[in-house]
Amino acid sequence: MEILDAAAKFDIHGLAHITGSGLMKLHRITKYGFDISDPLEPQPVFRFLQEEGDVEDLEMYKTFNMGMGFVVVLPGKEADQAARMMGGKVVGEIVEEGIRVEGLEIK
């Protein structure tokens, strides 16, 4: 399903194409934070760069998208249905502040 079709069906509060600056771009959507408790599995290229460059997890998530190229923010009650329709996955939830990936604080 195209994102425009999803926008017509769901109460989408924000969209983010995650490229340069990695997950820090999520701050553009809202003043609130994000707790990404179940991120997508990073593609092999990210693990290769991390291992070859001896780069910490924190820096990888700050700099790269780690496989999460597009984020749709919508009410929790719609999240599972929207993820199924768009072929995506619910990776986390909105929180009061900060950006966390599996407990790692991204600043």
Side-chain angles (χ1 to χ4, degrees):
M1 170 175 266
E2 296 290 326
I3 191 64
L4 294 177
D5 295 333
K9 181 168 179 70
F10 300 106
D11 184 21
I12 294 178
H13 293 215
L15 304 168
H17 184 217
I18 310 297
T19 56
S21 301
L23 298 175
M24 298 298 291
K25 286 204 171 168
L26 293 174
H27 283 302
R28 293 180 177 179
I29 295 176
T30 180
K31 66 178 182 172
Y32 294 105
F34 295 84
D35 184 9
I36 302 170
S37 56
D38 191 18
L40 298 177
E41 180 67 30
Q43 297 157 349
V45 66
F46 296 114
R47 293 298 177 210
F48 172 79
L49 292 171
Q50 186 172 20
E51 290 170 11
E52 292 298 313
D54 193 28
V55 181
E56 298 287 329
D57 285 344
L58 176 61
E59 191 60 34
M60 291 297 293
Y61 279 106
K62 270 175 84 171
T63 305
F64 300 106
N65 67 18
M66 299 298 281
M68 292 187 284
F70 196 79
V71 175
V72 178
V73 178
L74 45 80
K77 65 184 178 191
E78 296 182 348
D80 287 328
Q81 183 183 9
R84 279 192 303 277
M85 289 181 71
M86 291 185 276
K89 173 183 172 180
V90 176
V91 297
E93 63 183 355
I94 300 290
V95 294
E96 196 64 34
E97 62 184 12
I99 297 176
R100 288 184 296 285
V101 179
E102 294 184 307
L104 185 65
E105 185 76 27
I106 310 296
K107 295 182 182 183

